[in-house]
mmCIF file of all heavy atoms in Angstrom:
data_model
loop_
_atom_site.group_PDB
_atom_site.id
_atom_site.type_symbol
_atom_site.label_atom_id
_atom_site.label_comp_id
_atom_site.label_asym_id
_atom_site.label_seq_id
_atom_site.Cartn_x
_atom_site.Cartn_y
_atom_site.Cartn_z
ATOM 1 N N GLY A 233 -4.256 5.881 -2.258
ATOM 2 C CA GLY A 233 -3.639 5.500 -0.986
ATOM 3 C C GLY A 233 -2.488 4.523 -1.153
ATOM 4 O O GLY A 233 -1.420 4.684 -0.548
ATOM 5 N N GLY A 234 -2.692 3.512 -1.990
ATOM 6 C CA GLY A 234 -1.643 2.528 -2.226
ATOM 7 C C GLY A 234 -0.404 3.151 -2.843
ATOM 8 O O GLY A 234 0.729 2.810 -2.481
ATOM 9 N N ASP A 235 -0.616 4.090 -3.772
ATOM 10 C CA ASP A 235 0.526 4.722 -4.440
ATOM 11 C C ASP A 235 1.234 5.718 -3.529
ATOM 12 O O ASP A 235 2.456 5.903 -3.639
ATOM 13 C CB ASP A 235 0.066 5.397 -5.739
ATOM 14 C CG ASP A 235 -0.315 4.382 -6.812
ATOM 15 O OD1 ASP A 235 -0.219 3.170 -6.548
ATOM 16 O OD2 ASP A 235 -0.726 4.800 -7.907
ATOM 17 N N ILE A 236 0.495 6.374 -2.625
ATOM 18 C CA ILE A 236 1.132 7.243 -1.633
ATOM 19 C C ILE A 236 2.038 6.401 -0.735
ATOM 20 O O ILE A 236 3.186 6.764 -0.457
ATOM 21 C CB ILE A 236 0.071 7.979 -0.777
ATOM 22 C CG1 ILE A 236 -0.686 9.005 -1.623
ATOM 23 C CG2 ILE A 236 0.721 8.662 0.426
ATOM 24 C CD1 ILE A 236 -1.892 9.609 -0.915
ATOM 25 N N ALA A 237 1.519 5.262 -0.287
ATOM 26 C CA ALA A 237 2.301 4.363 0.569
ATOM 27 C C ALA A 237 3.570 3.898 -0.141
ATOM 28 O O ALA A 237 4.671 3.916 0.437
ATOM 29 C CB ALA A 237 1.449 3.161 0.977
ATOM 30 N N ALA A 238 3.431 3.496 -1.400
ATOM 31 C CA ALA A 238 4.591 3.002 -2.158
ATOM 32 C C ALA A 238 5.633 4.106 -2.342
ATOM 33 O O ALA A 238 6.845 3.862 -2.239
ATOM 34 C CB ALA A 238 4.139 2.470 -3.513
ATOM 35 N N TRP A 239 5.171 5.328 -2.616
ATOM 36 C CA TRP A 239 6.104 6.437 -2.823
ATOM 37 C C TRP A 239 6.874 6.741 -1.531
ATOM 38 O O TRP A 239 8.078 6.993 -1.568
ATOM 39 C CB TRP A 239 5.370 7.678 -3.313
ATOM 40 C CG TRP A 239 6.327 8.802 -3.593
ATOM 41 C CD1 TRP A 239 6.563 9.911 -2.832
ATOM 42 C CD2 TRP A 239 7.219 8.887 -4.712
ATOM 43 N NE1 TRP A 239 7.537 10.687 -3.394
ATOM 44 C CE2 TRP A 239 7.959 10.090 -4.551
ATOM 45 C CE3 TRP A 239 7.468 8.080 -5.822
ATOM 46 C CZ2 TRP A 239 8.931 10.488 -5.480
ATOM 47 C CZ3 TRP A 239 8.430 8.490 -6.737
ATOM 48 C CH2 TRP A 239 9.151 9.673 -6.560
ATOM 49 N N CYS A 240 6.180 6.720 -0.393
ATOM 50 C CA CYS A 240 6.846 6.961 0.898
ATOM 51 C C CYS A 240 7.897 5.893 1.173
ATOM 52 O O CYS A 240 8.997 6.192 1.674
ATOM 53 C CB CYS A 240 5.815 6.992 2.027
ATOM 54 S SG CYS A 240 4.726 8.436 1.994
ATOM 55 N N VAL A 241 7.590 4.647 0.832
ATOM 56 C CA VAL A 241 8.562 3.558 0.992
ATOM 57 C C VAL A 241 9.784 3.805 0.117
ATOM 58 O O VAL A 241 10.933 3.632 0.538
ATOM 59 C CB VAL A 241 7.919 2.195 0.652
ATOM 60 C CG1 VAL A 241 8.977 1.113 0.494
ATOM 61 C CG2 VAL A 241 6.918 1.801 1.730
ATOM 62 N N LEU A 242 9.533 4.231 -1.109
ATOM 63 C CA LEU A 242 10.622 4.486 -2.055
ATOM 64 C C LEU A 242 11.566 5.579 -1.551
ATOM 65 O O LEU A 242 12.743 5.600 -1.891
ATOM 66 C CB LEU A 242 10.031 4.892 -3.416
ATOM 67 C CG LEU A 242 10.895 4.745 -4.656
ATOM 68 C CD1 LEU A 242 11.369 3.305 -4.843
ATOM 69 C CD2 LEU A 242 10.134 5.197 -5.888
ATOM 70 N N GLN A 243 11.039 6.478 -0.707
ATOM 71 C CA GLN A 243 11.854 7.556 -0.144
ATOM 72 C C GLN A 243 12.506 7.152 1.183
ATOM 73 O O GLN A 243 13.060 7.998 1.885
ATOM 74 C CB GLN A 243 11.010 8.819 0.049
ATOM 75 C CG GLN A 243 10.290 9.285 -1.195
ATOM 76 C CD GLN A 243 11.183 9.392 -2.402
ATOM 77 O OE1 GLN A 243 12.229 10.032 -2.346
ATOM 78 N NE2 GLN A 243 10.804 8.757 -3.499
ATOM 79 N N GLY A 244 12.422 5.851 1.542
ATOM 80 C CA GLY A 244 13.145 5.337 2.696
ATOM 81 C C GLY A 244 12.332 5.139 3.954
ATOM 82 O O GLY A 244 12.870 4.737 4.987
ATOM 83 N N MET A 245 11.021 5.396 3.912
ATOM 84 C CA MET A 245 10.203 5.265 5.109
ATOM 85 C C MET A 245 9.669 3.846 5.280
ATOM 86 O O MET A 245 9.581 3.086 4.310
ATOM 87 C CB MET A 245 9.017 6.250 5.055
ATOM 88 C CG MET A 245 9.416 7.705 5.058
ATOM 89 S SD MET A 245 7.973 8.814 5.021
ATOM 90 C CE MET A 245 7.307 8.511 6.655
ATOM 91 N N GLU A 246 9.299 3.509 6.530
ATOM 92 C CA GLU A 246 8.536 2.292 6.796
ATOM 93 C C GLU A 246 7.061 2.685 6.771
ATOM 94 O O GLU A 246 6.671 3.683 7.377
ATOM 95 C CB GLU A 246 8.886 1.727 8.177
ATOM 96 C CG GLU A 246 10.279 1.149 8.274
ATOM 97 C CD GLU A 246 10.556 0.581 9.656
ATOM 98 O OE1 GLU A 246 9.613 0.553 10.496
ATOM 99 O OE2 GLU A 246 11.695 0.173 9.904
ATOM 100 N N VAL A 247 6.250 1.897 6.065
ATOM 101 C CA VAL A 247 4.842 2.267 5.885
ATOM 102 C C VAL A 247 3.937 1.084 6.184
ATOM 103 O O VAL A 247 4.152 -0.025 5.681
ATOM 104 C CB VAL A 247 4.579 2.753 4.441
ATOM 105 C CG1 VAL A 247 3.114 3.169 4.278
ATOM 106 C CG2 VAL A 247 5.495 3.925 4.093
ATOM 107 N N THR A 248 2.912 1.331 7.012
ATOM 108 C CA THR A 248 1.849 0.352 7.213
ATOM 109 C C THR A 248 0.644 0.825 6.410
ATOM 110 O O THR A 248 0.285 2.003 6.441
ATOM 111 C CB THR A 248 1.486 0.227 8.706
ATOM 112 O OG1 THR A 248 1.426 1.538 9.299
ATOM 113 C CG2 THR A 248 2.507 -0.605 9.445
ATOM 114 N N LEU A 249 0.036 -0.102 5.671
ATOM 115 C CA LEU A 249 -1.065 0.223 4.768
ATOM 116 C C LEU A 249 -2.320 -0.505 5.218
ATOM 117 O O LEU A 249 -2.344 -1.735 5.291
ATOM 118 C CB LEU A 249 -0.694 -0.176 3.329
ATOM 119 C CG LEU A 249 -1.724 0.096 2.232
ATOM 120 C CD1 LEU A 249 -2.107 1.568 2.174
ATOM 121 C CD2 LEU A 249 -1.180 -0.358 0.872
ATOM 122 N N GLN A 250 -3.350 0.262 5.524
ATOM 123 C CA GLN A 250 -4.564 -0.300 6.117
ATOM 124 C C GLN A 250 -5.749 -0.239 5.158
ATOM 125 O O GLN A 250 -5.930 0.736 4.431
ATOM 126 C CB GLN A 250 -4.920 0.474 7.395
ATOM 127 C CG GLN A 250 -6.151 -0.056 8.128
ATOM 128 C CD GLN A 250 -6.456 0.748 9.389
ATOM 129 O OE1 GLN A 250 -5.689 1.624 9.793
ATOM 130 N NE2 GLN A 250 -7.600 0.473 10.007
ATOM 131 N N ASP A 251 -6.534 -1.304 5.165
ATOM 132 C CA ASP A 251 -7.830 -1.324 4.485
ATOM 133 C C ASP A 251 -8.688 -2.378 5.173
ATOM 134 O O ASP A 251 -8.221 -3.080 6.077
ATOM 135 C CB ASP A 251 -7.686 -1.600 2.984
ATOM 136 C CG ASP A 251 -8.754 -0.858 2.172
ATOM 137 O OD1 ASP A 251 -9.947 -0.982 2.540
ATOM 138 O OD2 ASP A 251 -8.405 -0.166 1.207
ATOM 139 N N ARG A 252 -9.936 -2.508 4.717
ATOM 140 C CA ARG A 252 -10.885 -3.382 5.427
ATOM 141 C C ARG A 252 -10.456 -4.851 5.431
ATOM 142 O O ARG A 252 -10.626 -5.551 6.418
ATOM 143 C CB ARG A 252 -12.278 -3.254 4.806
ATOM 144 C CG ARG A 252 -12.955 -1.915 5.074
ATOM 145 C CD ARG A 252 -14.179 -1.750 4.209
ATOM 146 N NE ARG A 252 -13.821 -1.600 2.797
ATOM 147 C CZ ARG A 252 -14.669 -1.696 1.788
ATOM 148 N NH1 ARG A 252 -15.948 -1.995 2.020
ATOM 149 N NH2 ARG A 252 -14.271 -1.521 0.550
ATOM 150 N N GLU A 253 -9.921 -5.320 4.300
ATOM 151 C CA GLU A 253 -9.480 -6.707 4.194
ATOM 152 C C GLU A 253 -8.186 -6.760 3.400
ATOM 153 O O GLU A 253 -7.876 -5.850 2.618
ATOM 154 C CB GLU A 253 -10.552 -7.560 3.496
ATOM 155 C CG GLU A 253 -11.875 -7.678 4.238
ATOM 156 C CD GLU A 253 -12.874 -8.527 3.459
ATOM 157 O OE1 GLU A 253 -12.474 -9.578 2.941
ATOM 158 O OE2 GLU A 253 -14.044 -8.110 3.354
ATOM 159 N N LEU A 254 -7.452 -7.857 3.562
ATOM 160 C CA LEU A 254 -6.176 -8.010 2.867
ATOM 161 C C LEU A 254 -6.365 -7.996 1.350
ATOM 162 O O LEU A 254 -5.496 -7.508 0.619
ATOM 163 C CB LEU A 254 -5.502 -9.315 3.307
ATOM 164 C CG LEU A 254 -4.103 -9.583 2.724
ATOM 165 C CD1 LEU A 254 -3.132 -8.470 3.121
ATOM 166 C CD2 LEU A 254 -3.576 -10.938 3.171
ATOM 167 N N LYS A 255 -7.501 -8.492 0.877
ATOM 168 C CA LYS A 255 -7.721 -8.562 -0.575
ATOM 169 C C LYS A 255 -7.746 -7.171 -1.210
ATOM 170 O O LYS A 255 -7.488 -7.019 -2.409
ATOM 171 C CB LYS A 255 -9.018 -9.317 -0.890
ATOM 172 C CG LYS A 255 -10.292 -8.620 -0.446
ATOM 173 C CD LYS A 255 -11.519 -9.447 -0.810
ATOM 174 C CE LYS A 255 -12.823 -8.755 -0.405
ATOM 175 N NZ LYS A 255 -14.009 -9.570 -0.733
ATOM 176 N N TYR A 256 -8.073 -6.129 -0.420
ATOM 177 C CA TYR A 256 -8.063 -4.765 -0.946
ATOM 178 C C TYR A 256 -6.658 -4.168 -0.945
ATOM 179 O O TYR A 256 -6.389 -3.200 -1.657
ATOM 180 C CB TYR A 256 -8.997 -3.869 -0.123
ATOM 181 C CG TYR A 256 -10.442 -4.296 -0.154
ATOM 182 C CD1 TYR A 256 -11.109 -4.664 1.009
ATOM 183 C CD2 TYR A 256 -11.146 -4.346 -1.353
ATOM 184 C CE1 TYR A 256 -12.444 -5.068 0.983
ATOM 185 C CE2 TYR A 256 -12.469 -4.749 -1.396
ATOM 186 C CZ TYR A 256 -13.117 -5.110 -0.222
ATOM 187 O OH TYR A 256 -14.419 -5.519 -0.266
ATOM 188 N N ILE A 257 -5.757 -4.748 -0.159
ATOM 189 C CA ILE A 257 -4.376 -4.249 -0.073
ATOM 190 C C ILE A 257 -3.487 -4.900 -1.118
ATOM 191 O O ILE A 257 -2.530 -4.298 -1.611
ATOM 192 C CB ILE A 257 -3.809 -4.493 1.349
ATOM 193 C CG1 ILE A 257 -4.691 -3.792 2.395
ATOM 194 C CG2 ILE A 257 -2.372 -4.006 1.466
ATOM 195 C CD1 ILE A 257 -4.281 -4.061 3.840
ATOM 196 N N GLU A 258 -3.805 -6.136 -1.497
ATOM 197 C CA GLU A 258 -2.942 -6.900 -2.404
ATOM 198 C C GLU A 258 -2.681 -6.208 -3.753
ATOM 199 O O GLU A 258 -1.541 -6.204 -4.231
ATOM 200 C CB GLU A 258 -3.527 -8.303 -2.609
ATOM 201 C CG GLU A 258 -3.311 -9.196 -1.383
ATOM 202 C CD GLU A 258 -4.064 -10.512 -1.467
ATOM 203 O OE1 GLU A 258 -4.957 -10.618 -2.347
ATOM 204 O OE2 GLU A 258 -3.763 -11.420 -0.669
ATOM 205 N N PRO A 259 -3.692 -5.601 -4.400
ATOM 206 C CA PRO A 259 -3.394 -4.890 -5.661
ATOM 207 C C PRO A 259 -2.398 -3.745 -5.471
ATOM 208 O O PRO A 259 -1.567 -3.496 -6.341
ATOM 209 C CB PRO A 259 -4.767 -4.360 -6.099
ATOM 210 C CG PRO A 259 -5.757 -5.245 -5.421
ATOM 211 C CD PRO A 259 -5.137 -5.602 -4.116
ATOM 212 N N ALA A 260 -2.473 -3.072 -4.314
ATOM 213 C CA ALA A 260 -1.529 -1.981 -4.031
ATOM 214 C C ALA A 260 -0.111 -2.518 -3.886
ATOM 215 O O ALA A 260 0.862 -1.882 -4.335
ATOM 216 C CB ALA A 260 -1.952 -1.247 -2.760
ATOM 217 N N LEU A 261 0.034 -3.680 -3.271
ATOM 218 C CA LEU A 261 1.354 -4.302 -3.125
ATOM 219 C C LEU A 261 1.927 -4.682 -4.494
ATOM 220 O O LEU A 261 3.131 -4.547 -4.736
ATOM 221 C CB LEU A 261 1.267 -5.538 -2.231
ATOM 222 C CG LEU A 261 0.796 -5.313 -0.781
ATOM 223 C CD1 LEU A 261 0.709 -6.650 -0.048
ATOM 224 C CD2 LEU A 261 1.734 -4.366 -0.050
ATOM 225 N N LYS A 262 1.055 -5.135 -5.368
ATOM 226 C CA LYS A 262 1.482 -5.517 -6.723
ATOM 227 C C LYS A 262 1.968 -4.287 -7.496
ATOM 228 O O LYS A 262 3.008 -4.327 -8.167
ATOM 229 C CB LYS A 262 0.313 -6.196 -7.460
ATOM 230 C CG LYS A 262 0.682 -6.775 -8.803
ATOM 231 C CD LYS A 262 -0.511 -7.493 -9.425
ATOM 232 C CE LYS A 262 -0.156 -8.062 -10.797
ATOM 233 N NZ LYS A 262 -1.324 -8.743 -11.425
ATOM 234 N N ARG A 263 1.214 -3.192 -7.390
ATOM 235 C CA ARG A 263 1.622 -1.953 -8.066
ATOM 236 C C ARG A 263 2.930 -1.434 -7.471
ATOM 237 O O ARG A 263 3.790 -0.920 -8.189
ATOM 238 C CB ARG A 263 0.545 -0.873 -7.941
ATOM 239 C CG ARG A 263 -0.711 -1.127 -8.750
ATOM 240 C CD ARG A 263 -1.535 0.144 -8.920
ATOM 241 N NE ARG A 263 -1.726 0.855 -7.662
ATOM 242 C CZ ARG A 263 -2.665 0.551 -6.767
ATOM 243 N NH1 ARG A 263 -3.491 -0.448 -7.002
ATOM 244 N NH2 ARG A 263 -2.784 1.258 -5.662
ATOM 245 N N ALA A 264 3.059 -1.571 -6.158
ATOM 246 C CA ALA A 264 4.282 -1.101 -5.485
ATOM 247 C C ALA A 264 5.495 -1.868 -5.995
ATOM 248 O O ALA A 264 6.557 -1.281 -6.246
ATOM 249 C CB ALA A 264 4.145 -1.266 -3.978
#
């Protein structure tokens, strides 16, 4: 999910990324 979101952003889209808590989203932001 995190990598799909990052790829969509890279193609020019605005993306909101949802998970249960922010701590689960932070690793995806780092990879992005």
Side-chain angles (χ1 to χ4, degrees):
D235 289 0
I236 291 171
W239 183 256
C240 290
V241 167
L242 201 58
Q243 306 310 308
M245 296 181 69
E246 290 181 5
V247 181
T248 43
L249 180 57
Q250 182 180 353
D251 214 310
R252 290 168 291 166
E253 296 179 44
L254 183 60
K255 67 180 181 181
Y256 298 119
I257 302 175
E258 285 171 346
L261 299 178
K262 187 177 179 181
R263 289 197 312 277

